Amino acid sequence: MPGKPDGPDLQRLDRVVAQARRAREERERGYRERALKLYPWICGRCAREFERANLHELTVHHKDHDHDHNPADGSNWELLCLYCHDNEHQRSLAPAGTPLGEPDPAAGATQTPFASLAALLKRDDAL
Ligand SMILES: [Zn+2]
Ligand SMILES: [Zn+2]
């Protein structure tokens, strides 16, 4: 029996996790402050305005969804209120039950009329 590695290992794991979490929090505070200095305190979706009292409801969204991509010019940031930020991330998820790469029959049904409408418009232009 080579002893019980659980105790010390778990403690070390806890420390590593805590360190990683602290580092991430510091990094997030860093880009959040920079974004708030760079941009007016307004939600990019619903145009709600913020002030110091409710600034915690204004969040920094990463346009490419990569939280490690923080260019100094702020081109990857967008200030969004909590609600719009939630929506933004839900919108980018595939609808539940739709396997990736499979055509969604509902989407096809909504796309077809527009496609034929576009074809009709093109024909009208040509006439
Ligand atoms: Zn909003
Ligand atoms: Zn986001």
Side-chain angles (χ1 to χ4, degrees), residues 31-94:
Y31 70 63
R32 181 177 151 84
E33 270 166 24
R34 279 152 64 201
L36 290 174
K37 267 181 211 152
L38 208 61
Y39 292 113
W41 296 352
I42 296 171
C43 171
R45 287 289 177 282
C46 67
R48 185 176 158 200
E49 288 183 37
F50 289 81
E51 53 196 26
R52 216 157 267 290
N54 58 3
L55 194 59
H56 61 275
E57 290 179 34
L58 188 62
T59 60
V60 179
H61 170 62
H62 288 76
K63 290 180 184 176
D64 67 358
H65 292 214
D66 181 359
H67 286 209
D68 292 318
H69 183 209
N70 294 299
D73 64 356
S75 56
N76 193 35
W77 299 330
E78 193 172 18
L79 294 183
L80 297 177
C81 75
L82 286 175
Y83 309 101
C84 294
H85 199 169
D86 249 25
N87 284 341
E88 185 66 26
H89 281 255
Q90 263 152 28
R91 224 159 40 89
S92 62
L93 296 175

